Amino acid sequence: EEAAAAAALAEVADVEIDGDGVFKYVLVRVRAAGGPGKDVVRGHGWAEYHADLYERTAEELARQGLGCECLGGGRLAHRPEERRIHVYGYSVGFGRADHSVTTEKLKAEYPDYEITWADEGY
């Protein structure tokens, strides 16, 4: 049971974001039952609200037997032609994510990018 949960957790992508544009994102802590957790970034332009992103993520994770909680949100400005992502802003509903955590996750996913963050802005 625990091994299966840990395996499911390992399958969850650390970062899933749109390839271009400015869009909302959430930082989500994913947990296997009674086990360890990890933080993941989800950001998509289709989401009108941060809650839309979180609810869809939670549904996907629940189908894999994983729980989660939202640690906060913000915005991403992804400029692939400049190889840049800027992390900023906050979520009215969930508060501001720790953008430094998000930045580290993005750096691992996009090692050849310049990734910056700021607490300013909405």
Side-chain angles (χ1 to χ4, degrees):
E1 174 92 5
E2 278 186 29
L9 186 67
E11 289 291 304
V12 177
D14 282 10
V15 174
E16 286 179 7
I17 65 169
D18 285 359
D20 194 3
V22 176
F23 43 86
K24 293 182 168 74
Y25 92 89
V26 288
L27 185 63
V28 176
R29 179 155 294 157
V30 185
R31 283 212 173 83
K38 75 173 182 178
D39 297 346
V40 303
V41 176
R42 296 291 182 268
H44 299 290
W46 54 257
E48 189 176 352
Y49 300 104
H50 288 92
D52 299 336
L53 284 171
Y54 176 64
E55 284 164 14
R56 182 174 295 189
T57 302
E59 285 169 13
E60 290 173 0
L61 293 168
R63 286 199 290 271
Q64 299 159 49
L66 298 169
C68 64
E69 63 180 309
C70 189
L71 301 180
R75 288 176 189 262
L76 299 176
H78 187 180
R79 300 186 179 88
E81 69 285 351
E82 298 170 25
R83 294 192 177 281
R84 289 187 54 150
I85 300 174
H86 185 60
V87 186
Y88 66 101
Y90 62 94
S91 160
V92 174
F94 297 117
R96 179 183 287 118
D98 185 338
H99 296 329
S100 64
V101 172
T102 302
T103 296
E104 289 309 307
K105 297 272 171 193
L106 291 170
K107 281 180 176 171
E109 190 75 16
Y110 296 92
D112 57 341
Y113 269 52
E114 179 189 355
I115 298 171
T116 54
W117 66 275
D119 276 339
E120 291 80 58
Y122 170 76

